[in-house]
Amino acid sequence: MKAFTFHAPQALADAVTLLGQHGAEARPIAGGQSLLLAMKERAATPSVLVSLSGVADLRGWHQDGDGLHIGSGTTYAALAGSTFPTWQQEIATVAGNLADRPVRTMGTIGGALCQAEPRFDMPALALGLDATMALVSASGVRTLPASEFFRPEGGTVLQAGEILSRVSFPPAARFSGVAFEKFRVRVFDAALVSAVCAVRVGVPAEARLVVGGVRPTPVEVPGVAAELAADLDGADPAELGRRCADEVLPAAEATTSLARYQRELVAVVARDAVIRALATARS
């Protein structure tokens, strides 16, 4: 691991100032579950680390008319122990069912989103639920939908000196049912394939479908989602799952054994997400 200087500011403004002073050589660090491993493997070589663990403004959450706003420094364990209304509880469930206890204790929702590993749960969940990201820098605050935060080729649009400060999920009234499903080999592994389905029953009906783990970034499946929204009562989840596989990982592109396996998994995991989202919406 390359030698580095470590700063531990207590205020968000101070963290922003430090990152601005040190430019591209600096990286923010929260729980460190991904960044420290990358540094040990020399995949990341920052000369300055700015710790966000002491910045209280980045922890916790609150509700208002615009939705559920979660600080980027909030740990998975804190989320897992929370109680949210209606479908928003799925966020807590996902946080409590990833990796292992040490990772859930130290890892943060913001760290996972900024790392943007395609097999991580939180990027797929944020995109599936149409979350909004607040990015803070010396220039001010900019907000982006999750669809613009993640780059299609992988990674994020975070710029040097920016900190992801908050993740905002829609208000409870936005959806009637939400489900996150995944397949992993071992209980503490990242997902080989994940899927998010969110539906709203009513006029107008709405459906969102996102698949993670297959492409460099989680991907929306708009064609299948539109078909689901057009006929929530007559939906065939198994057929929709197969169409998700065709849209996300066409057979012609599944040229390796892993890709063929993932293609089969997409059909099953997406099917299960649709079934549970619809069941929740109707309950």
Side-chain angles (χ1 to χ4, degrees):
M1 182 183 291
K2 174 184 173 182
F4 58 87
T5 302
F6 186 83
H7 296 278
Q10 300 299 297
L12 180 56
D14 294 337
V16 168
T17 298
L18 284 165
L19 288 174
Q21 288 174 346
H22 295 284
E25 291 298 311
R27 289 281 299 271
I29 181 170
Q33 299 300 290
S34 298
L35 180 56
L36 289 177
L37 179 60
M39 291 173 65
K40 287 174 64 177
E41 297 176 346
R42 294 280 180 148
T45 57
S47 59
V48 176
L49 290 182
V50 178
S51 174
L52 304 179
S53 61
V55 181
D57 289 345
L58 297 180
R59 298 193 297 272
W61 54 85
H62 71 277
Q63 293 265 13
D64 61 23
D66 294 325
L68 172 62
H69 310 283
I70 302 175
S72 62
T74 305
T75 64
Y76 300 128
L79 282 175
S82 65
T83 301
F84 298 129
T86 63
W87 63 264
Q88 292 176 347
Q89 187 59 28
E90 190 76 352
I91 300 168
T93 301
V94 171
N97 190 34
L98 56 79
D100 51 25
R101 188 181 296 274
V103 169
R104 292 193 297 271
T105 300
M106 295 295 296
T108 64
I109 182 173
L113 293 170
C114 293
Q115 184 69 18
E117 158 62 46
R119 293 174 59 191
F120 284 178
D121 295 353
M122 282 300 168
L125 188 67
L127 182 60
L129 298 182
D130 199 20
T132 300
M133 317 299 191
L135 312 180
V136 179
S137 70
S139 300
V141 180
R142 64 174 178 140
T143 58
L144 294 173
S147 58
E148 297 178 16
F149 180 73
F150 301 111
R151 296 183 184 275
E153 66 274 19
T156 75
V157 298
L158 269 172
Q159 299 173 0
E162 282 189 319
I163 294 173
L164 172 62
S165 63
R166 185 181 67 249
V167 185
S168 296
F169 292 92
R174 170 73 182 274
F175 301 119
S176 307
V178 165
F180 175 92
E181 297 288 342
K182 65 180 176 182
F183 178 86
R184 52 190 173 177
V185 177
R186 297 170 296 182
V187 70
F188 49 80
D189 283 344
L192 274 177
V193 169
S194 62
V196 183
C197 181
V199 299
R200 181 179 66 231
V201 176
V203 181
E206 181 183 7
R208 294 181 59 82
L209 274 166
V210 163
V211 172
V214 177
R215 295 295 188 183
T217 194
V219 292
E220 296 183 69
V221 196
V224 181
E227 183 177 344
L228 174 59
D231 188 9
L232 292 176
D233 292 328
D236 180 347
E239 178 60 23
L240 293 176
R242 287 190 289 270
R243 293 188 186 180
C244 275
D246 289 337
E247 195 165 332
V248 174
L249 188 57
E253 297 182 21
T255 57
T256 67
S257 57
L258 174 59
R260 290 190 291 271
Y261 185 39
Q262 285 183 304
R263 178 176 158 80
E264 295 296 325
L265 286 174
V266 169
V268 173
V269 174
R271 176 202 67 191
D272 291 350
V274 171
I275 289 173
R276 192 158 65 85
L278 289 174
T280 303
R282 293 164 179 159
S283 63

